[in-house]
Amino acid sequence: MKLMEALDTFILLLPPIIAVAILASMWWQYGWKRKSRELKGETRRQEIERHEKVGERILIAAIVCVMIAFMARWYTGLGLMPGSLHGFTGPLGITLLWITARWGRKSRKDRISRKKHGRAADLLIALVVLHSFLGFLYIFEVL
């Protein structure tokens, strides 16, 4: 029976472990605002392409992380519906991340999208910090 409890604990901790890596990537990606002002020419073009690829990977990783969190809740018998503010804000955050990525993709051609992308990134970082804190508190409730 101890092995099953350990497995349940590992499964419940898997999404936060993945989320820490995603958060680090998002913070590094957010540093683009400062870095982009310093780059010129071909180097800037290459960095823009890298920024876009990393952004898409972050989006995919975040979607996978939320899916794993839902599966972990189901597997451990907590049900599929989130039972906390943290759980309800996960899908909302994914939606905002998806919108931010789409505006980022359009921003090469459209200055308005570029401004929206930057503002959405500012909001997203603030909400990610709040969501992470709620998740940290939620770990103590679940475990």
Side-chain angles (χ1 to χ4, degrees):
M1 200 61 160
K2 295 269 188 202
L3 181 63
M4 289 305 291
E5 290 174 12
L7 182 62
D8 285 354
T9 301
F10 174 75
I11 289 170
L12 286 172
L13 288 175
L14 192 58
I17 291 167
I18 295 168
V20 167
I22 294 170
L23 287 172
S25 298
M26 287 178 77
W27 188 254
W28 182 72
Q29 182 81 338
Y30 186 65
W32 166 254
K33 285 180 102 171
R34 181 184 32 78
K35 187 177 182 182
S36 69
R37 294 182 198 119
E38 302 166 2
L39 299 172
K40 302 285 185 235
E42 182 64 22
T43 307
R44 180 176 169 78
R45 189 188 62 71
Q46 290 172 348
E47 285 297 313
I48 288 172
E49 287 178 13
R50 185 208 48 80
H51 180 77
E52 290 172 353
K53 286 178 186 175
V54 170
E56 292 298 323
R57 289 180 187 145
I58 288 171
L59 175 62
I60 291 167
I63 291 169
V64 168
C65 184
V66 169
M67 290 171 61
I68 290 171
F70 276 105
M71 287 189 291
R73 284 188 55 83
W74 174 78
Y75 177 81
T76 57
L78 294 173
L80 280 178
M81 289 304 293
S84 68
L85 182 58
H86 171 80
F88 284 108
T89 60
L92 293 174
I94 292 298
T95 303
L96 182 56
L97 184 59
W98 184 80
I99 291 168
T100 303
R102 295 305 153 253
W103 283 338
R105 191 178 282 157
K106 291 180 187 176
S107 69
R108 278 194 187 195
K109 301 172 189 149
D110 184 12
R111 279 186 98 71
I112 293 172
S113 289
R114 186 177 311 146
K115 191 166 192 156
K116 286 180 181 179
H117 176 69
R119 297 281 168 95
D122 293 341
L123 176 62
L124 191 60
I125 287 296
L127 292 176
V128 161
V129 169
L130 176 63
H131 183 75
S132 300
F133 178 70
L134 291 172
F136 176 72
L137 296 177
Y138 185 60
I139 287 174
F140 296 111
E141 183 181 321
V142 171
L143 298 179

